[in-house]
Amino acid sequence: MNKARLALVTLIAASSLLTAACETVSTTQSGTVGVDRKQNMSPLVSSQQLDQQASLAYSDLIGRQAKQGDLNPDPAQTARVRRIAERLIPQTAVFRPDALKWNWQVNVIRSPDVNAWCMPGGKIAIYTGILDKLKLTDDEIAAVMGHEIAHALREHAREQASEQTLAQLGMLGAALAGAGQNTVNAGSQLYQLGIGLPHSRRQETEADRIGVELAARAGYDPRAAVTVWQKMIQLGGSRPLEFLSTHPNPESRMRDLQQYAEKVMPLYLQAKKH
C-alpha cells in the first residue's frame, strides 16, 4: 500500500475509532416537526465549556460595540426585537426545558451585514443590516430569531467543534503514519465534502424546522420563514453550489420551510386564539 492510500486509510480508521468514543446524545425533544436525530459529541468538548466561552465572547463583543456606539442604537427597534424574543424564549421548553434557565440576552448591533446569531446558552445578536435591508415584519424577525435559537437548542456549535476535533486528530494520525502534507490536505478536503459540509447543511435544516415551530407556538406566522428567503434572493449575491456550501440552496430551503410551516399551522392558529 502506497503512502497516500495508507494515510487516507489511517485518517478514516482514526476518525472511526474516535467517533466510536463519542457520546451519543439527544440534545432536544423532537417537537411537532420531528427533529429527532441522535448527535455524536466528543467528551473533549463539553456544553459547560462552550457556554462559558460563549458568555465571555459575547460580553467582550457587547462591550466593544457599546464603546463604538453601535449597541442598540435605536431604542424602539431594540424594544421590538426583545418583545419578540420574550414570546419565543418560553417556547423553547417544548424542545428542552432546561433552556428556560439559560441567561438569555438579546441585543441589536449596528452593522450593514445581513446577519443574526445565537451563541450557546442563549446569547442573541441581530444586526441592523438584516432588519433594515430586508424590512422585516415581526413574523419574519421571529422566523430569523427562531432559527438562530434552534442552533443553540440543538448545540450545533458543540457538534461542529466535536467533529472538527475528531478530524484534526484523524489527520494527525495520518501524518504520523508517514503521509505528506499534500495527502493530509486531500484527506481534509475529502472530510469536508463527505462529512463536514453535509452535516452543516443538515444542521441548517434542523434549525429551520425547529425555528418555524418556535415561531408558530409564539403566535407568529410560520410561513414568514419563506418570505424571509424570498427577500434574501431579491437582495442578491453569489452563492456556491449546494454540495460545496454549508447551507442548503434557497430554493431547497423554501420548499422545506413551506412544508414544515404548514405542518405547524395548527399551533399558530391555536396560539392566536389566546
Side-chain angles (χ1 to χ4, degrees), residues 61 96 102 109 123 152 246 253 256 261 266 271:
L61 173 66
R96 52 183 303 168
W102 290 358
I109 295 174
K123 306 298 186 289
T246 59
R253 201 164 194 168
D256 192 76

Side-chain angles (χ1 to χ4, degrees), residues 98-134:
D98 67 305
L100 295 180
K101 300 177 183 178
W102 290 358
N103 180 23
W104 292 89
Q105 297 180 47
V106 183
N107 287 285
V108 176
I109 295 174
R110 177 160 46 207
S111 168
D113 295 340
V114 178
N115 198 15
W117 41 263
C118 179
M119 287 183 174
K123 306 298 186 289
I124 299 172
I126 293 188
Y127 293 3
T128 56
I130 194 170
L131 297 171
D132 298 338
K133 291 181 181 179
L134 298 188

Side-chain angles (χ1 to χ4, degrees), residues 42 45 50 156-166 168:
S42 169
V45 183
L50 280 187
H156 284 155
R158 181 184 172 206
E159 188 175 21
Q160 289 173 356
S162 296
E163 291 175 355
Q164 290 166 5
T165 298
L166 297 180
Q168 289 167 0

Side-chain angles (χ1 to χ4, degrees), residues 36-186:
D36 56 6
R37 177 178 63 91
K38 304 292 185 184
Q39 296 165 274
N40 291 321
M41 301 294 192
S42 169
L44 301 176
V45 183
S46 70
S47 298
Q48 294 79 7
Q49 176 187 8
L50 280 187
D51 287 354
Q52 291 172 0
Q53 292 174 348
S55 181
L56 291 172
Y58 190 79
S59 295
D60 179 67
L61 173 66
I62 293 303
R64 285 188 282 109
Q65 296 299 322
K67 287 181 180 178
Q68 295 169 192
D70 292 329
L71 182 67
N72 301 316
D74 181 345
Q77 187 180 60
T78 300
R80 178 189 179 207
V81 168
R82 286 178 174 170
R83 183 172 61 249
I84 295 168
E86 287 171 0
R87 288 172 55 177
L88 288 170
I89 290 170
Q91 312 311 318
T92 62
V94 171
F95 293 95
R96 52 183 303 168
D98 67 305
L100 295 180
K101 300 177 183 178
W102 290 358
N103 180 23
W104 292 89
Q105 297 180 47
V106 183
N107 287 285
V108 176
I109 295 174
R110 177 160 46 207
S111 168
D113 295 340
V114 178
N115 198 15
W117 41 263
C118 179
M119 287 183 174
K123 306 298 186 289
I124 299 172
I126 293 188
Y127 293 3
T128 56
I130 194 170
L131 297 171
D132 298 338
K133 291 181 181 179
L134 298 188
K135 296 180 171 54
L136 296 180
T137 65
D138 285 5
D139 291 323
E140 290 168 342
I141 292 174
V144 170
M145 203 179 307
H147 171 92
E148 300 304 332
I149 288 172
H151 278 307
L153 296 177
R154 288 289 287 169
E155 297 188 47
H156 284 155
R158 181 184 172 206
E159 188 175 21
Q160 289 173 356
S162 296
E163 291 175 355
Q164 290 166 5
T165 298
L166 297 180
Q168 289 167 0
L169 290 173
M171 283 181 278
L172 175 61
L176 292 175
Q181 189 60 47
N182 288 340
T183 302
V184 173
N185 290 341

Side-chain angles (χ1 to χ4, degrees), residues 130 134 136-137 139-144 223-234 254 257:
I130 194 170
L134 298 188
L136 296 180
T137 65
D139 291 323
E140 290 168 342
I141 292 174
V144 170
R223 295 169 295 189
V226 178
T227 63
V228 169
W229 276 100
Q230 290 171 341
K231 290 182 176 182
M232 289 285 284
I233 291 174
Q234 291 171 359
M254 286 192 291
L257 282 167

